[in-house]
Amino acid sequence: MLSKSQISLLKSLQNKKERKEHGLFLVEGYKSVVEFINSPYKIEAIYYTAPFDPKMLKLSQKINLYNISVTDIEKISSLKTPQEVIALVKIPVHPTLSNQKLKQKFSLVLDGIQDPGNMGTIIRTADWFCIDNIICSDDTVDVYNPKVVQASMGSLSRVNVHYVNITEALPQIDLPVFGAMLDGENIYRTQFGLEGLIVMGNEGNGLRPGVEQLINKAVTIPRLGKAESLNVGIATALFCAEISRNKLGSQ
C-alpha cells in the first residue's frame, strides 16, 4: 500500500513544474514500460497490480518493484481507464546539440507544437523512420506530459528530444533547412538530399516569421481536395515518408 506522501508525489508528476523539480515522469502500460526498461532511461520504480506478478518477477532485480492495489493505481494514474503497470522514470539530460551529431541524417524541428496527441504521434513517426533527434522550441508541449508519453507508445525511449530557442539554434547548425509551408515547392518534386532539418509549425498558426526567415527551402504537400489544412502529425509523417523514399532511391 502506498503512503499518502508517495501518492501525492506520483500524482504531482502530471504537472510540468513538478516533473521539472523532481526530474521524474511516469510511463503507463506494460508494453511501454518494457520499452523504457530496454533503453538508456533509468527506472526508479515500477508499480503494478497482482495479475502482473509473473511478468514482474522476470525483470531485473535491480528495479524497485511495488505490488499495489487497483485503488492505488487509480489514484496515481493520469488515465480515465488506468493501466495496471506504471513506471517512475528519471528525466535524462540529453547531450548538447552539435553539427557533428546531426550530420548525414535528418532531424525534425517543431515550432510551437501544442497538442500532446500530435507530439506523441510525431515521436512515434520519428521512431518509425529512424529519426534520432527532435528539436523543439521552448514553448512546444513538454515531451514528458503524460498524454505525450502515452501517445508515443514507447517510442520516446528511442528518440532524443531537445528544447532550445530555435531562432538562435538553427543558424548555428550547418545543414539545409526545409520548412513545411503552404506556398512551397511540391514535396513530391523536392530533392531533399541526405541530410537536413525539417521544420514543422504550430497547429493553428504555422511557422513564426522569425523561423520562416531561417528556411532555405519552403516545401508544401499539394492539396487535391477541399480540406482546409492537414493535421501536423499527419503532415510530419508525409514528410518523413518522402524523405525516406528519396534516401532509399539514391542508394
Side-chain angles (χ1 to χ4, degrees):
M1 186 175 184
L2 294 177
S3 67
K4 288 184 178 180
S5 61
Q6 287 175 308
I7 291 173
S8 178
L9 169 63
L10 295 169
K11 285 184 68 173
S12 76
L13 298 179
Q14 295 180 31
N15 182 283
K16 180 180 178 180
K17 180 182 177 182
E18 298 295 330
R19 290 194 296 273
K20 186 174 181 180
E21 180 179 334
H22 296 287
L24 300 166
F25 70 103
L26 297 181
V27 177
E28 302 195 43
Y30 178 73
K31 289 184 178 180
S32 292
V33 168
V34 170
E35 298 273 21
F36 279 88
I37 290 173
N38 296 322
S39 79
Y41 278 79
K42 181 181 178 183
I43 310 298
E44 295 288 327
I46 296 177
Y47 306 92
Y48 66 96
T49 57
F52 280 86
D53 254 334
K55 291 182 177 180
M56 293 298 112
L57 292 174
K58 296 178 182 179
L59 299 180
S60 168
Q61 296 303 307
K62 295 180 181 180
I63 298 176
N64 295 315
L65 302 175
Y66 298 93
N67 185 332
I68 64 175
S69 68
V70 172
T71 300
D72 279 349
I73 282 282
E74 290 173 345
K75 288 178 180 177
I76 64 177
S77 175
S78 65
L79 303 175
K80 290 183 179 179
T81 305
Q83 301 281 338
E84 293 189 71
V85 178
I86 298 178
L88 179 64
V89 185
K90 189 172 181 60
I91 295 175
V93 178
H94 293 300
T96 303
L97 283 171
S98 68
N99 280 339
Q100 194 60 37
K101 291 174 183 175
L102 300 177
K103 284 284 187 181
Q104 300 301 311
K105 62 178 70 173
F106 282 92
S107 301
L108 296 174
V109 179
L110 307 182
D111 182 20
I113 300 301
Q114 296 298 304
D115 183 82
N118 286 339
M119 187 68 180
T121 297
I122 290 170
I123 293 169
R124 289 179 68 188
T125 299
D127 186 23
W128 180 269
F129 287 101
C130 202
I131 292 176
D132 300 327
N133 293 289
I134 298 177
I135 303 166
C136 300
S137 62
D138 289 322
D139 61 345
T140 292
V141 63
D142 179 25
V143 73
Y144 300 111
N145 177 307
K147 292 180 180 178
V148 176
V149 177
Q150 191 68 20
S152 73
M153 297 294 289
S155 287
L156 178 58
S157 65
R158 289 180 291 273
V159 178
N160 301 315
V161 182
H162 312 266
Y163 286 85
V164 300
N165 181 323
I166 58 177
T167 57
E168 293 179 1
L170 262 58
Q172 307 302 316
I173 301 173
D174 184 24
L175 289 172
V177 182
F178 301 89
M181 300 171 67
L182 291 175
D183 57 352
E185 180 179 70
N186 186 326
I187 189 174
Y188 304 118
R189 296 173 185 163
T190 301
Q191 295 300 313
F192 287 98
L194 298 177
E195 61 181 3
L197 304 175
I198 307 299
V199 188
M200 309 300 297
N202 172 268
E203 290 90 342
N205 302 314
L207 299 179
R208 281 174 275 211
V211 177
E212 283 189 14
Q213 295 174 9
L214 303 174
I215 302 298
N216 300 140
K217 177 171 283 189
V219 182
T220 191
I221 300 167
R223 180 176 65 176
L224 302 180
K226 296 183 179 180
E228 181 182 351
S229 63
L230 269 180
N231 171 278
V232 67
I234 299 293
T236 302
L238 291 173
F239 267 85
C240 291
E242 190 60 18
I243 289 165
S244 180
R245 188 185 69 81
N246 272 249
K247 190 172 182 178
L248 291 172
S250 67
Q251 292 178 349

